[in-house]
Amino acid sequence: MKVNEKNLVYYLIAYEEGELDADKVLELFAYLVKTGLAWQLQGHFGRTAAALIEQGIITEDGKINWDALM
C-alpha cells in the first residue's frame, strides 16, 4: 500500500508509534516532501526530510533514490 492522502493519517500514526519498516518510512517521507507537508508538520518531520534530502536518499521533488541506500 502506497502513501496517499486517504491513508496519510494511518502512516503518520504508525510512524510515530515505530510500526513502519524502513521502506515505508522512506515512502512516507518521500510523500511528505512531494506534497510539501514535510515543511508544514511539526519540526521533526521537516528536519528528518531535510536530512534525507541532504543525504541524497530522497530528492527535492520527493522521489526515493534507492541506489543511495546500497
Side-chain angles (χ1 to χ4, degrees):
M1 172 169 59
K2 295 281 184 184
V3 182
N4 59 51
E5 68 180 58
K6 292 180 181 179
N7 62 22
L8 178 59
V9 172
Y10 162 80
Y11 272 92
L12 290 171
I13 292 169
Y15 171 75
E16 290 184 340
E17 293 180 356
E19 296 176 355
L20 296 181
D21 64 25
D23 288 352
K24 292 295 182 194
V25 169
L26 291 179
E27 290 174 17
L28 171 61
F29 277 91
Y31 180 82
L32 294 176
V33 169
K34 185 182 308 180
T35 60
L37 289 171
W39 323 120
Q40 297 174 21
L41 295 171
Q42 68 180 16
H44 165 80
F45 291 97
R47 289 188 300 274
T48 302
L52 290 168
I53 291 169
E54 185 177 313
Q55 294 168 21
I57 296 171
I58 294 178
T59 65
E60 291 183 7
D61 60 345
K63 294 182 178 134
I64 301 170
N65 179 6
W66 295 106
D67 293 334
L69 299 171
M70 296 183 181

